[in-house]
Amino acid sequence: MAAAPAGLDVGPHVEAMRRDGYTIIEDFLSPAQIEAVRTGLHPFLGHYRGRNDFEGHKTERVYTLVARAKVFQDVAEEPRLMAILGQFLQPRFLLTASQAICIYPGETAQRLHTDDSFYPIPRPRPAISITVIVAVDPFTEQNGATVIVPGSHRWSNEQLTAMQEARLAGRPVPEVDEGARPAVMAAGAALVMLGTLLHGGGANRSDAPRLAFTNQYCEPWVRTQENFFLAIPKEMVREYSPRVRELLGYDTRLNSFMGMVTASTPAKALEPGWVPPVVRQAAQGD
């Protein structure tokens, strides 16, 4: 497990995540960063809505957020966050998703779910991904604060299935009915939760949108949700910090060839004038 930078105590956050499945970093964003987030998102909001109940018919999402503004690159590699994630994920962990989520008035509650359920490995188990949800607007019980079920990160597959079947049938689920709670937090705070934790977007019963963004990170040996190699032009990636490039996958997994490009580091593909070996070698043979 990675050690935290000198002078940075993430112990209480790590302890809370192991016990409850989540923690909240109260001062994750500064007021200036909140304003930069709003400015960066402004051109992309107001155009789309979700396609189904899970996405939310009154919810808007902006994907590939790390490529939308510099502030999103900065927060993707925030030191406290990197230190916390390093206690749960292996070295060279990856950014798997980066998106803004705006829940508009009248949106209904999202179905409770876990974010790493598409990795078909039996539970209970360690999380394969970790989700960070950052409040741009304050999260309240009325405006769609994320609902979490503390302790559910330890549930088995059988417990999850029984819960889902009971909810569909309209039967009570005491662990959820009594244990679920909204993650109420101020603008600029970040909810950090294990990918095995049950949660869902809350219903927005207010008269204003609730804006947030989420970054998700995963183990370096699984496939990411967003294909950043195709989504972000290499010309843009060249300008990113080495850590952000690593989070996007422009490095091989530590002590292995996982992620290689024809037996070489994928970082070479960012060099100006780089030609894939299969093209270069074929030309040499002509």
Side-chain angles (χ1 to χ4, degrees):
M1 292 185 180
L8 190 61
D9 181 17
V10 298
H13 291 296
V14 172
E15 181 181 354
M17 289 180 67
R18 288 176 176 155
R19 181 187 65 242
D20 303 321
Y22 77 97
T23 189
I24 293 178
I25 304 175
E26 300 287 355
D27 59 344
F28 186 72
L29 293 185
S30 69
Q33 286 177 311
I34 294 175
E35 185 58 32
V37 166
R38 291 189 184 280
T39 301
L41 282 175
H42 180 72
F44 308 107
L45 289 173
H47 304 290
Y48 304 101
R49 295 294 187 273
R51 297 162 291 185
N52 50 56
D53 284 339
F54 185 79
E55 286 187 332
H57 293 294
K58 295 184 179 180
T59 295
E60 183 171 18
R61 298 170 189 267
V62 179
Y63 292 93
T64 319
L65 206 59
V66 71
R68 305 287 184 171
K70 177 65 164 58
V71 65
F72 297 115
Q73 299 163 35
D74 295 338
V75 298
E77 59 173 340
E78 201 270 351
R80 288 171 299 177
L81 183 59
M82 295 296 96
I84 293 170
L85 299 184
Q87 298 297 308
F88 296 94
L89 301 176
Q90 295 180 20
R92 302 293 200 274
F93 57 81
L94 300 171
L95 184 69
T96 178
S98 176
Q99 61 180 279
I101 302 175
C102 189
I103 299 179
Y104 290 95
E107 181 61 278
T108 57
Q110 186 184 41
R111 172 177 55 83
L112 292 176
H113 63 283
T114 62
D115 278 345
D116 70 356
S117 60
F118 37 71
Y119 300 126
I121 301 176
R123 296 170 53 115
R125 57 166 170 76
I128 297 172
S129 68
I130 293 178
T131 295
V132 182
I133 301 176
V134 183
V136 182
D137 294 320
F139 276 29
T140 71
E141 293 188 41
Q142 290 73 38
N143 74 354
T146 301
V147 175
I148 54 177
V149 183
S152 58
H153 61 299
R154 293 188 292 269
W155 289 12
S156 66
N157 283 57
E158 291 73 19
Q159 286 175 289
L160 280 178
T161 300
M163 180 277 296
Q164 292 163 351
E165 291 176 348
R167 300 275 282 191
L168 286 172
R171 299 193 302 270
V173 184
E175 299 91 340
V176 173
D177 300 335
E178 300 169 13
R181 65 185 66 169
V184 174
M185 54 187 182
L191 169 67
V192 185
M193 60 184 177
L194 298 174
T196 45
L197 187 77
L198 270 174
H199 69 283
N204 189 344
R205 300 183 297 275
S206 75
D207 58 2
R210 188 230 71 182
L211 181 60
F213 69 89
T214 177
N215 285 337
Q216 297 180 29
Y217 302 81
C218 68
E219 293 285 17
W221 46 269
V222 299
R223 183 166 185 170
T224 59
Q225 295 179 55
E226 292 195 62
N227 189 329
F228 293 115
F229 297 117
L230 297 178
I232 308 177
K234 288 191 292 184
E235 293 74 17
M236 295 178 65
V237 179
R238 289 189 189 113
E239 304 302 317
Y240 295 173
S241 73
R243 186 69 175 101
V244 172
R245 292 199 298 267
E246 180 183 290
L247 288 170
L248 294 178
Y250 283 91
D251 201 349
T252 51
R253 185 183 172 196
L254 191 65
N255 298 325
S256 85
F257 262 13
M258 191 173 289
M260 71 172 180
V261 176
T262 319
S264 185
T265 172
K268 283 187 174 294
L270 296 176
E271 297 175 357
W274 180 80
V275 177
V278 294
V279 175
R280 184 181 69 250
Q281 293 164 1
Q284 291 171 347
D286 289 343

